[in-house]
Amino acid sequence: RQPELCRIAAHNFKTLGLAQAEIRETDSSLSPDEWPDAACCFVDPARRDTVGRKTVAIEDCEPDLSILQEAIRRKAAFSLIKLSPMLDIRTALRTLAHVAEVHAVSVQGECKELLLVLRPDAGRYDIVCADGTHRFRFRPEEEEAAVAEMADDTGRYLYEPSAALLKAGAFKLTAARYGLRKLHPNTHLYTADHLVDGFPGRCFEVKGVTGFGKRALRDLCRSVEERANLTVRNFPGTVAELRKRLKLREGGDAYWFATTLADGRHVLIDCRKPDLHARGDETSGKDAPPHGGTTEAGTPYII
């Protein structure tokens, strides 16, 4: 619908040697019967309203896929739908039919993409979480059936799942697949006394666990010269509020997690990044994903 963007695309396609590319300057929702049949239809709806405000709901984007999805199914063998990463996955599944795969993609700790693959013959669907290095594939019923062991205390290592995995909601299954213990039913952090190979997220070595007594906090802040990277998980307060309370600056080698343990205690977990090369022999093979593979390491995930 935007002539300038069409001209730019035409120039780029020519420069790239894509002679087979055809550009149509039109409103897709007005002309679905004129579309050619295709192997794949990629749809990236505009997520801004008429005054430029961001939209999230499928019905508020243009084109409205809740209306257009039947026309897409008639024309394409399958389709790839790009949605707002803020959209709740369950809401998307209630709106769109015949979903075969849900892909949540995170970059540098933030969920950046939510993509749905639709096929006319789809029944059940898989969820794929990708963080640029690892992929974690599962079915919703696996998460429902999984049992996560709760931790009595914090082990030697702390595991923080990727933003994509958190978006997908594989909270219990993460613990079950990798032999980890969960800190609290609502705290999506995990712990173990050994290193886990291929974990879809970040791993830290625990240096200590501190309560919120004034003296303990003062001593902890002094030990890192009042500088640390701070994260809150299932904790009554924000990063900004806690940083102000502790008079803590951002940065340094320390990584602190303010969270709640299984017994209800609020604590600060003091961590550092582990030396994986020095401790490579600690990684236990039994903690790798089961045969058949659900995590694929080493292959960049590019959208």
Side-chain angles (χ1 to χ4, degrees), residues 73 93 96-102 117-127 139-141:
R73 257 194 300 277
L93 293 170
L96 300 177
H98 304 288
V99 176
E101 295 178 4
V102 176
V117 177
L118 278 59
R119 293 192 181 94
D121 59 348
R124 298 188 304 174
Y125 63 92
D126 287 0
I127 301 178
R139 290 187 181 274
E141 53 266 30

Side-chain angles (χ1 to χ4, degrees), residues 215-243:
R215 182 173 180 178
L217 289 177
R218 184 175 63 248
D219 291 344
L220 183 61
C221 288
R222 286 176 177 173
S223 71
V224 295
E225 298 181 349
E226 299 180 345
R227 180 185 292 273
N229 303 280
L230 186 60
T231 300
V232 298
R233 290 282 188 273
N234 187 28
F235 183 81
T238 66
V239 168
E241 291 168 345
L242 188 55
R243 191 174 292 284

Side-chain angles (χ1 to χ4, degrees), residues 160-201:
E160 180 190 27
S162 69
L165 197 148
L166 292 173
K167 176 70 177 181
F171 305 132
K172 297 182 295 180
L173 189 59
T174 298
R177 279 204 182 160
Y178 292 97
L180 305 174
R181 291 168 288 145
K182 213 166 185 289
L183 295 188
H184 182 281
N186 298 323
T187 298
H188 306 313
L189 293 171
Y190 307 85
T191 190
D193 291 321
H194 53 267
L195 288 170
V196 174
D197 186 30
F199 179 76

Side-chain angles (χ1 to χ4, degrees), residues 104-157:
V105 183
S106 61
V107 178
Q108 295 181 347
E110 184 178 353
C111 186
K112 292 290 190 180
E113 302 289 356
L114 181 62
L115 303 109
L116 272 62
V117 177
L118 278 59
R119 293 192 181 94
D121 59 348
R124 298 188 304 174
Y125 63 92
D126 287 0
I127 301 178
V128 183
C129 311
D131 61 7
T133 302
H134 306 101
R135 299 186 197 180
F136 185 98
R137 178 184 290 267
F138 71 101
R139 290 187 181 274
E141 53 266 30
E142 291 182 274
E143 169 64 17
E144 294 174 6
V147 177
E149 179 185 353
M150 292 297 119
D152 294 328
D153 53 23
T154 304
R156 184 173 180 180
Y157 298 102

Side-chain angles (χ1 to χ4, degrees), residues 150-153 183-185 260-267:
M150 292 297 119
D152 294 328
D153 53 23
L183 295 188
H184 182 281
T260 304
L261 300 182
D263 59 7
R265 284 183 297 144
H266 296 146
V267 297

